[in-house]
Amino acid sequence: MAKRVYDVWKGNNVFLFGGRLFFGPDARSLLVTLCLIIVPVVIFCIFVARSLFHEFSPLYAGYAILVVAVVFTVHVLVLLFLTSARDPGIVPRNSHPPEEELRYDASVDVGGRQTPSLQIPRTKEVMVNGFSVKVKYCDTCMLYRPPRCSHCSICNNCVERFDHHCPWVGQCIGLRNYRFFFCFVSSATLLCIYVFAISAFYIKLLMDDHGTVWRAMRESPASVFLMAYCFISLWFVGGLTGFHLYLIGTNQTTYENFRYRADNRFNVHNRGCLSNFFEVFCTKVKPSKNNFRAFVQEESQRPHVPSTRDAEPDEACEDRRVKVEDDLDIGGDLLKISQRHTLGDIEADIRSRGSDVPRHHSSDAESILVSDRRVGVHSDRNSNWARSRNWEIANQV
């Protein structure tokens, strides 16, 4: 049966409903985020908004408080879903390195020999807004990352315009979901302000009826809890909203701001505050480069490109094989020599062998004799029989 792309996906992502929903590896943290949003709103609707139904007499205007809270919460949850369940801008990885980028680097010393090797340059330069920018090669995805792209170690994917990996939404924040992420954070900030304000208003009404703020707080502890919860949450989501407003105005990402802050680099992507906001909120979201439900197509086998790492084992094996063959030849000659009883037999054997080969090989036979004379004392220590004859040869010499 043919497999689909999400079946063989090499990233650490989670797919649901046949690849229709796409989450990060920490998608379970999304449940915590849902609880942090839904539970306080439910408490607000039951203990605060319902008590205000009849506080505004004309046309039951008090119901609007409940309706606004529910609609606002649904809006926040939709933005959360659009942020966490979509492709953030993953660059499809290659199945092999780009052969057109292979270059011969300087000679490398391999086994005592200077050998040129094929290597892929670690960086290359591209033009962005008229400025030259270096992009890096990703060994995992086997591609040159586009400008502002980075490899997420959690998702194990290269993401375009990588901002950060957010554990609260369980997804990378990149080119295709950054707009929804900012809208989610800013909407959550407004929701906190709304719940805090209405809860404080309800405490004010109770204080008018009971005389003191302490009696009002005892009358509605849910309002006190919601005010405290929203106050603490505002430090998080409100601060995050302000920080990302600054990043959008200067056309930076969180990754770039934290990594290159101390370098004082010139930002080649900054086009001015208004143009930067227009780029984030008023441009069309680019379509995904991945079709997770597509069937996988088998690629034809490509010829292997030799490199230094591949050449070293082959050359080492060839050297070892040649060395073993030479050792066998030398060992055979020494064995034959060790079987001779006298020096005369050895010289006769050498003369008989010399008559069967060309003249210029006689030096080889003589070298064998010389080598035997040099090593005859200890050539075959594993055999007593061979040792005795080696000593005879040595004594005669």
Side-chain angles (χ1 to χ4, degrees), residues 6 14-23 27:
Y6 71 88
V14 178
F15 296 89
L16 298 178
F17 302 106
R20 293 177 177 86
L21 296 183
F22 176 86
F23 298 93

Side-chain angles (χ1 to χ4, degrees), residues 217-371:
M217 293 172 63
R218 286 198 303 266
E219 185 67 22
S220 179
S223 298
V224 178
F225 166 77
L226 290 173
M227 291 176 61
Y229 178 82
C230 292
F231 179 79
I232 296 174
S233 299
L234 275 173
W235 285 98
F236 175 70
V237 292
L240 201 58
T241 300
F243 176 66
H244 279 279
L245 282 173
Y246 162 74
L247 293 179
I248 295 173
T250 55
N251 206 329
Q252 298 182 70
T253 64
T254 303
Y255 178 80
E256 293 169 347
N257 181 267
F258 277 84
R259 182 166 184 176
Y260 305 124
R261 181 190 305 171
D263 297 343
N264 293 324
R265 292 188 179 184
F266 176 73
N267 187 4
V268 300
H269 307 284
N270 191 355
R271 300 179 179 179
C273 184
L274 293 179
S275 298
N276 294 336
F277 273 91
F278 183 86
E279 178 183 343
V280 173
F281 296 107
C282 301
T283 56
K284 185 179 179 181
V285 178
K286 294 183 178 181
S288 175
K289 296 181 179 180
N290 302 280
N291 184 4
F292 301 113
R293 290 185 50 78
F295 290 100
V296 178
Q297 297 179 356
E298 295 183 1
E299 294 185 359
S300 58
Q301 295 293 333
R302 303 179 66 89
H304 178 67
V305 179
S307 62
T308 305
R309 296 179 180 178
D310 298 333
E312 290 179 358
D314 295 340
E315 293 176 356
C317 292
E318 182 66 24
D319 293 340
R320 286 195 298 268
R321 185 163 50 250
V322 173
K323 183 178 183 302
V324 170
E325 292 175 353
D326 293 342
D327 292 343
L328 291 176
D329 293 339
I330 295 174
D333 293 334
L334 291 176
L335 180 61
K336 292 179 180 179
I337 292 175
S338 65
Q339 293 175 351
R340 299 297 184 267
H341 295 278
T342 62
L343 183 61
D345 294 337
I346 297 173
E347 293 177 351
D349 179 71
I350 293 175
R351 283 194 298 271
S352 63
R353 291 170 55 187
S355 61
D356 298 332
V357 296
R359 183 67 180 175
H360 63 273
H361 288 301
S362 60
S363 61
D364 297 338
E366 295 175 359
S367 64
I368 294 174
L369 177 59
V370 173
S371 63

Side-chain angles (χ1 to χ4, degrees), residues 25-38:
D26 48 354
R28 292 182 178 179
S29 62
L30 188 61
L31 300 176
V32 178
T33 306
L34 289 174
C35 292
L36 293 175
I37 297 173
I38 296 176

Side-chain angles (χ1 to χ4, degrees), residues 1 3 21 66 88 117 122 128 211 318 320 361 364 388 395:
M1 182 178 179
K3 293 184 177 180
L21 296 183
L66 178 63
S117 62
R122 305 306 305 170
V128 177
E318 182 66 24
R320 286 195 298 268
H361 288 301
D364 297 338
S388 62
N395 293 330

Side-chain angles (χ1 to χ4, degrees), residues 5 9-11 13 22 86-95 135-138 140-152 155-162 171-172 174-176 286-292:
V5 172
W9 187 255
K10 295 182 179 180
N13 302 95
F22 176 86
R86 68 187 293 126
D87 178 6
I90 295 175
V91 181
R93 65 182 68 195
N94 293 328
S95 57
V135 295
K136 295 181 179 180
Y137 179 77
C138 179
T140 303
C141 299
M142 292 184 287
L143 53 84
Y144 281 100
R145 302 168 187 162
R148 314 189 82 176
C149 175
S150 182
H151 190 91
C152 176
C155 293
N156 195 26
N157 296 310
C158 280
V159 181
E160 288 187 280
R161 201 184 184 277
F162 177 77
Q171 183 64 279
C172 283
L175 178 66
R176 299 188 67 250
K286 294 183 178 181
S288 175
K289 296 181 179 180
N290 302 280
N291 184 4
F292 301 113

Side-chain angles (χ1 to χ4, degrees), residues 8 27 47 83 102 122-123 164 177 180 219 221 293 306 347 354:
V8 297
F47 297 100
T83 302
L102 291 173
R122 305 306 305 170
T123 61
H164 68 288
N177 64 349
F180 303 107
E219 185 67 22
R293 290 185 50 78
E347 293 177 351

